[in-house]
Amino acid sequence: MSTGTRHHIRLANVRLSFPSLFREKKFAPTDAKGSYSATFILDKKTNAKEIAEIKRSIDLLVKETFKGKHPGVNRVCLRDGSEKPDTDGYGDGVMFISARTDKRPQVVNRDLTPLTEDDGKPYAGCYVYATIEIWGQDNQYGKRINAKLRAVQFAKDGSPFGEANIDVNKEFQPLGDDDESPV
């Protein structure tokens, strides 16, 4: 059960992380059905307006849905990037918000043409615009403030996350003519 008002927010020029936009992903082995999801990384300076808007929405939902009692930092969709210092794109200068939905979100290119998985974008590390909906959850699964993923628009390329080139010189040694070929 969701309670209270839903707050629509548009994120501008944010980095995409952990995208599952074209295929459902199960988050727990006990999940009967998967969902579509993405995490958006917001720079604390350039995305200050969006961060403030999300925080205002969270504060309103705490008042409306939970009568002023905050469900806890780990139960809110907006988090500080310093929680993941060893993850590409995260750190002290950013915030991140995770969003998901049961229905496949609209995913479009810069010119609003639909994108498919075969297009190779959007991808983890690129920049996107996105729309999300902040809402309060109070049911048998607990009390949380969640973000629902609505739509994603590819904006521009960025350095892909988690795809650093492997240095083959550290992986292998040159083989001589007499060395056996791998089987």
Side-chain angles (χ1 to χ4, degrees), residues 19 31-32 36 52 58 68 73 99 102 108 117 121-123 135 145 164 171:
D31 288 350
Y36 300 91
I58 290 169
V73 173
D102 292 335
V108 296
E117 188 172 18
K121 61 185 179 182
Y123 55 87
W135 61 282
I145 296 178
E171 300 286 321

Side-chain angles (χ1 to χ4, degrees), residues 49-118:
K49 179 183 166 194
E50 290 99 334
I51 292 169
E53 187 177 357
I54 293 167
K55 286 181 176 180
R56 274 192 303 277
S57 295
I58 290 169
D59 289 344
L60 283 170
L61 284 167
V62 167
K63 288 176 190 169
E64 292 174 3
T65 306
F66 306 114
K67 296 178 177 56
K69 187 173 183 206
H70 199 284
V73 173
N74 293 334
R75 300 202 148 280
V76 176
C77 53
L78 181 68
R79 311 276 290 274
D80 196 281
S82 63
E83 292 179 27
K84 296 183 175 197
D86 298 326
T87 304
D88 284 353
Y90 295 76
D92 289 332
V94 301
M95 302 286 291
F96 66 95
I97 188 163
S98 299
R100 66 165 115 170
T101 182
D102 292 335
K103 182 181 174 190
R104 186 178 174 277
Q106 293 287 323
V107 182
V108 296
N109 209 341
R110 294 174 57 85
D111 63 359
L112 301 183
T113 58
L115 290 170
T116 68
E117 188 172 18
D118 292 338

Side-chain angles (χ1 to χ4, degrees), residues 9 24 43 52 107 116 124 126 165-166 177 181:
I9 296 175
E24 293 176 344
D43 183 275
V107 182
T116 68
C126 75
N165 288 332
I166 296 170
D177 291 337
S181 297

Side-chain angles (χ1 to χ4, degrees), residues 15 123-127 154-161:
R15 301 245 2 230
Y123 55 87
C126 75
Y127 290 83
F154 176 81
K156 66 182 177 182
D157 288 314
S159 299
F161 292 151

